[in-house]
Amino acid sequence: MAERLLSVQDLHTSFFTDNGEVQAVNGISFDLDPGEILGIVGESGSGKSVTAYSIMQILADTGKITGGRILFKGSDLTTWNDKQMQSFRGKNCSIIFQDPMTSLNPVFTIGNQLEEAVVLHTSRRGEAAKARVKEFLELVGINEPEKRIKQYPFELSGGMRQRVMIAMALACEPDILIADEPTTALDVTIQAQILELIQSLQKKMGMAVILVTHDLGVIADMCDNIIVMYGGRICERGTAREIFYNPKHEYTKGLLRSIPNVGNMKKKLVPISGTPINMLNLPKGCAFCPRCDAAMKICLSELPQEITINSDHKAACWVNVKNALEEVSADA
Amino acid sequence: MHDTLVEVNDLKQYFPIRTGIGKTIPLKAVDDISFTIGRGETLGLVGESGCGKTTAGRSILRLYEPTGGEVLFEGEPVTDRNITAMRKKMQMVFQDPYSSLDPRMTVEDIIGEPLDVHKLCKNRKERRERILELMETVGLNAEHATRYAHEFSGGQRQRIGIARALAVKPDFIVCDEPVSALDVSIQAQIINMFEELQEKLGVAYLFIAHDLLVVHHISKRIAVMYLGKIVELADADEINDHPIHPYTESLLSAVPIPDPDITRARQRIILEGDVPSPLHRPTGCPFRTRCRYATEQCARECPELTDRGGGHQVACWVK
């Protein structure tokens, strides 16, 4: 089989806090192919951002990858040293953050910051680097780039800043772009602009995109494949159509029932009961079982394994096992 | 038809902005908005950040002193003089359940504060009973009455905020983005609670939010704001199925719908550029700088809200 662009295998990431070890990511595995748009969806604390940060190795000081491998074109990133990682970031893999205000440096001009990225990761210097900066500002739809490169972040609107962030991320033509809640801080009409931009740039440059978000609408719009996370584990993965029209994990089902959608405007929403999970105190079995209506005895004590639903779809939920067993016994 | 509970007439809220020594210019956060809310009805107010929707909610409750216009509650003008009494009937739920609860007060005292302010309980026993009853109404465990706000999750805090608003038995609650700070799986719990409380207590809401799907779900009618003006106001389904104003049209088309087939088949209308600063509002129609249909007339005169039949009001020269 051909080498994967990125292959995450049994990744564990923990944060060591005063209150104990928080296992933010608990053994997740997935592959990413060139040109694929992969969506990671989950609520706060599900470990979706930590997964992204683990790939880039930009975790907070207390965070540490405690197990597993991250293979980039066959080479394990977790064994790379700081210098190698530095060249990996930017050149091979870039990230756009949620808040474009705090992720740009307020005391440098836009041009300055973009040029830094170009000089650091490519062989372009001086005028060539400046030309590259202008080219990419134009590419992300910023008019009058001549004027903009002399401006500071505070002089730009939220949407503009996010465009600058995208320009910076793409200036070195990475193989992978990680977008961590890229539009959460933006207004609806600006969100539409930015999503459209990411989509068109992805087509033009052919990079792979990992889109991390809690917004199921954005996921439905953008992604080929979707990973649903809860409590640091993957509960379900599949193509967009499989996840939305044939959900097989109780959490995904609950999530889809609980959001207002075109089909349920006149009906009552069906909320997921209970409160979000406490990561300091993970249950022994399925992380979702304290909130699950279909929970069984086995859900409390044993971790569900991922089961193949069909070639495009896998889910880790005991309910599927039960249904399969019932089918078999009914046949017999 | 509902009888009218709240009537807002030409409400204006300007904030003076200093531009130099001795020089100020007005920032027109809310400019001439009018609408009514019936008893037990929900009016949704949507718009992008900076369009004045939060300011509108706050001006109605006189958290700001309005620059002009009037608010009538049950036909009676809300003024500085009667505002304390009025707040027994009008309450507010805030967006951020973290900063809107005093961290040094117990849940009991937070919910009890409006009871004390309005002297609604004769003795401690009655106060305690009322607080426990309120906690039960919003689905909080009565045993938690002596805890502090930081011991609760975001969704539970929002429930405390709602219990506080309900304490005075109001007829009208301004809900300012009450679910946008909550996790997706918790949002539905709170939305359902708002709906159940309305059925049970007959309270009317002004539901301010930027999430159009949430607003559509909870509201009977929806008003769309842009740069301090209401540009369209109609029945929730009507505005969703047949938007008339070009801004509403593009806003609706920009909302990502959590359904891959529908959302991908849809024609998105992408608006050019950003919302102009409210300090330098375009002349005439505020939306004309981003509008596909803008004409000369749009630059000259600001369109008024006019009824296009069936209570569907639109402020646009072209459409």
Side-chain angles (χ1 to χ4, degrees), chain B residues 27-280:
Chain B
L27 185 152
K28 299 181 177 179
V30 171
D31 199 13
D32 261 337
I33 63 168
S34 304
F35 55 82
T36 60
I37 300 172
R39 202 172 281 281
E41 187 197 35
T42 305
L43 176 72
L45 191 56
V46 294
E48 297 178 85
S49 46
C51 74
K53 54 190 194 301
T54 296
T55 306
R58 292 180 168 216
S59 301
I60 290 169
L61 292 184
R62 284 205 165 237
L63 291 175
Y64 302 131
E65 175 75 21
T67 314
E70 59 172 4
V71 177
L72 304 177
F73 186 86
E74 292 179 318
E76 195 188 333
V78 179
T79 62
D80 266 350
R81 282 207 194 136
N82 64 10
I83 186 63
T84 315
M86 280 294 185
R87 290 213 180 116
K88 230 191 275 186
K89 297 170 190 163
M90 309 195 291
Q91 279 290 319
M92 183 149 186
V93 174
F94 296 91
Q95 167 170 12
D96 184 356
Y98 293 84
S99 59
S100 61
L101 302 177
D102 189 331
R104 294 191 291 185
M105 285 164 83
T106 62
V107 173
E108 189 175 354
D109 287 334
I110 290 171
I111 301 174
E113 197 174 22
L115 299 174
D116 302 340
V117 168
H118 295 288
K119 302 189 179 65
L120 293 174
C121 296
K122 286 197 277 298
N123 51 45
R124 290 193 68 82
K125 186 166 164 274
E126 195 184 314
R127 178 177 184 266
R128 172 109 190 143
E129 273 168 13
R130 176 82 182 120
I131 289 166
L132 295 184
E133 184 192 319
L134 283 162
M135 289 184 72
E136 198 184 321
T137 312
V138 297
L140 285 169
N141 191 337
E143 286 164 23
H144 296 166
T146 53
R147 292 196 183 177
Y148 291 88
H150 73 91
E151 296 175 70
F152 294 88
S153 66
Q156 285 172 314
R157 281 175 206 229
Q158 203 54 292
R159 287 171 195 267
I160 299 171
I162 295 166
R164 173 175 64 183
L166 289 174
V168 295
K169 297 188 183 162
D171 296 311
F172 174 54
I173 300 178
V174 174
C175 312
D176 184 11
E177 304 254 14
V179 297
S180 51
L182 305 177
D183 262 319
V184 198
S185 71
I186 304 299
Q187 282 192 2
Q189 292 178 7
I190 302 295
I191 294 170
N192 276 1
M193 197 172 74
F194 274 118
E195 288 176 347
E196 280 156 21
L197 288 173
Q198 186 165 58
E199 282 161 28
K200 212 159 61 185
L201 307 170
V203 45
Y205 300 126
L206 177 65
F207 198 92
I208 302 167
H210 66 273
D211 187 329
L212 278 128
L213 287 169
V214 169
V215 171
H216 183 197
H217 192 272
I218 200 166
S219 308
K220 189 172 163 288
R221 289 185 303 143
I222 295 177
V224 183
M225 275 185 85
Y226 187 80
L227 279 183
K229 293 264 186 197
I230 290 180
V231 295
E232 187 160 5
L233 198 165
D235 195 77
D237 291 335
E238 167 74 13
I239 217 166
N240 207 54
D241 299 340
H242 309 286
I244 295 180
H245 198 282
Y247 177 63
T248 316
E249 210 182 358
S250 56
L251 198 61
L252 286 168
S253 81
V255 181
I257 293 172
D259 188 318
D261 285 356
I262 295 178
T263 194
R264 287 172 202 205
R266 213 164 38 141
Q267 189 72 38
R268 259 205 226 135
I269 306 165
I270 303 275
L271 285 179
E272 297 284 319
D274 293 304
V275 184
S277 154
L279 269 179
H280 309 285

Side-chain angles (χ1 to χ4, degrees), chain A residues 187 189 193 196 221 245 272, chain B residues 48-49 189 259 268 271:
Chain A
D187 276 315
T189 57
Q193 291 174 0
E196 192 91 351
D221 207 3
Y245 301 131
I272 298 177
Chain B
E48 297 178 85
S49 46
Q189 292 178 7
D259 188 318
R268 259 205 226 135
L271 285 179

